Amino acid sequence: MSKYTPDAVSDFESFFREGLPVAMRVVRHLVIAPSEAEDAAAEAFVRAFAAWPRVRRLEYRLPWVLRVATNLALDGTRSESRRQTAWLRSAADRTEASVAPTDRIAVNQALAEALRRLSRRQREAIVLRYLADLSVEEVANSLGMKQGTVKTHLHRGMVALRKRIGADWEGNEVAL
């Protein structure tokens, strides 16, 4: 018997139609080219479909996909960062932000580089909370941890991001 019943396929199609724009919007802040965001988001949904019998039952399946898409985008930017110009590399490494907030590409690249340097849990918590705009409770449920633990990861991650990107960075520079 196939694990992909007509109901399961229909359920996935609805989930995909609703979730893809959200995943692309979140991932778009971590990559330069829109096609890279599309690739990471699509690959996350491919992985969701491959595990659909399990993922379908998750209460927080969109955060699961967003976490996968974010990790794929960050993995992709690792190889891209090796090819960056010296200017972009130095902008990402500065501890004080001197890149104008209107320079979205540079800000997003610096953000991706700084996120990549966080611990996995800090990165996941920050992406789900601030880029995907989930509540602390939703982040806790999707990551399988207590709300207090999420708050700790968020606090420590934001401290680390501010050190890398700039002391007055609040995340506002990245428009959703």
Side-chain angles (χ1 to χ4, degrees):
M1 183 171 176
S2 172
K3 60 183 179 179
Y4 298 103
T5 65
D7 283 346
V9 172
S10 176
D11 189 30
F12 178 80
E13 288 172 349
S14 295
F15 174 65
F16 177 79
R17 277 192 303 277
E18 293 172 16
L20 183 64
V22 176
M24 286 179 53
R25 188 174 65 240
V26 168
V27 175
R28 180 65 182 106
H29 299 290
L30 305 176
V31 296
I32 293 175
S35 63
E36 292 173 11
E38 191 174 299
D39 289 347
E43 176 63 23
F45 277 97
V46 165
R47 292 180 184 193
F49 187 69
W52 191 240
R54 180 179 56 84
V55 173
R56 182 182 189 198
R57 292 188 306 266
L58 295 175
E59 184 177 351
Y60 293 93
R61 57 188 177 188
L62 183 58
W64 184 92
V65 169
L66 295 176
R67 186 171 49 173
V68 171
T70 299
N71 289 337
L72 289 167
L74 289 172
D75 287 346
T77 60
R78 280 190 185 108
S79 60
E80 175 61 28
S81 69
R82 292 184 193 106
R83 295 186 296 266
Q84 290 178 26
T85 63
W87 182 85
L88 279 176
R89 260 186 254 124
S90 66
D93 290 338
R94 287 188 202 118
T95 57
E96 293 297 320
S98 62
V99 179
T102 55
D103 190 355
R104 184 171 177 226
I105 292 173
V107 170
N108 289 352
Q109 191 64 34
L111 175 61
E113 180 65 26
L115 282 169
R116 186 174 29 263
R117 294 180 183 191
L118 295 177
S119 74
R120 181 178 59 88
R121 286 301 199 187
Q122 289 174 356
R123 178 176 57 243
E124 291 170 348
I126 286 174
V127 166
L128 293 174
R129 176 69 183 104
Y130 298 114
L131 295 181
D133 200 29
L134 299 180
S135 69
V136 171
E137 179 182 7
E138 291 169 322
V139 173
N141 289 333
S142 72
L143 296 177
M145 59 179 65
K146 295 180 180 180
Q147 289 184 36
T149 305
V150 169
K151 290 177 183 178
T152 299
H153 286 306
L154 290 172
H155 174 74
R156 290 178 182 168
M158 289 303 289
V159 167
L161 285 177
R162 286 185 187 106
K163 284 180 183 175
R164 296 241 179 246
I165 296 176
D168 55 351
W169 185 78
E170 294 294 332
N172 310 2
E173 293 87 346
V174 182
L176 290 175

